[in-house]
Amino acid sequence: MLFEPTDVVVRIALNTPDTDTAGAAMAACLPLVTELAPRSVEFEAADPAGLRRGFLGELLVVLPSARAAAPDQVLRATVEPLLRRLGLRAEWLTLDDPSGTSGDAHAPGDVWERGGTECGTYSLYARIGADPFDTDGDAYEDDE
């Protein structure tokens, strides 16, 4: 998937522990999915031997970047409203690189386990201009 260099691309990791099918997990998160209009949505059964129960979900959301002077300010200003919406705190967002173009936020286990986040959100990953999980360097579509 290709993105514009100014897009803020976000991956949201969810856990719906009280669901037993992908359809039930999607139904539980449908208001959030409808509101965010993600580019992709995935649900899969949690590994029975893993830390989480029920179903895991992942949303890929693309946000227009906020106006700010520096990349770290752009990332924070763009992502902070989404963090609040998901029940995450802005102070949980840490930048992953010196340029300030990517970061992640993770809910403490006790917060998401007791239902303190929307649809069991436990992690959010964000990057300016590319998928936060993109490792091949093809960050955005170049029209030149």
Side-chain angles (χ1 to χ4, degrees):
M1 209 176 283
L2 299 175
F3 306 98
E4 295 296 324
T6 57
D7 288 339
V8 176
V9 184
V10 179
R11 286 200 179 262
I12 303 166
L14 313 167
N15 180 215
T16 56
D18 298 326
T19 58
D20 56 3
T21 67
M26 179 66 174
C29 296
L30 191 56
L32 180 66
V33 170
T34 301
E35 178 184 335
L36 297 180
R39 292 229 183 138
S40 72
V41 177
E42 296 178 19
F43 283 94
E44 66 182 8
D47 181 349
L51 297 174
R52 294 176 177 82
R53 303 178 332 267
F55 272 73
L56 304 176
E58 184 176 275
L59 309 180
L60 177 68
V61 178
V62 179
L63 303 171
S65 61
R67 295 192 186 274
D72 63 325
Q73 295 169 340
V74 169
L75 189 67
R76 288 186 186 282
T78 303
V79 173
E80 283 181 5
L82 180 58
L83 290 169
R84 284 191 301 276
R85 170 63 180 93
L86 296 171
L88 302 173
R89 294 186 184 161
E91 60 265 21
W92 295 341
L93 180 64
T94 58
L95 301 181
D96 296 337
D97 62 75
S99 68
T101 59
S102 67
D104 54 72
H106 306 280
D110 64 321
V111 171
W112 67 265
E113 285 174 356
R114 73 170 187 269
T117 62
E118 185 71 29
C119 292
T121 300
Y122 60 90
S123 292
L124 175 144
Y125 304 88
R127 185 171 173 191
I128 298 173
D131 185 329
F133 294 169
D134 179 17
T135 57
D136 67 9
D138 189 21
Y140 57 85
E141 186 171 19
D142 189 355
D143 293 334
E144 298 179 313

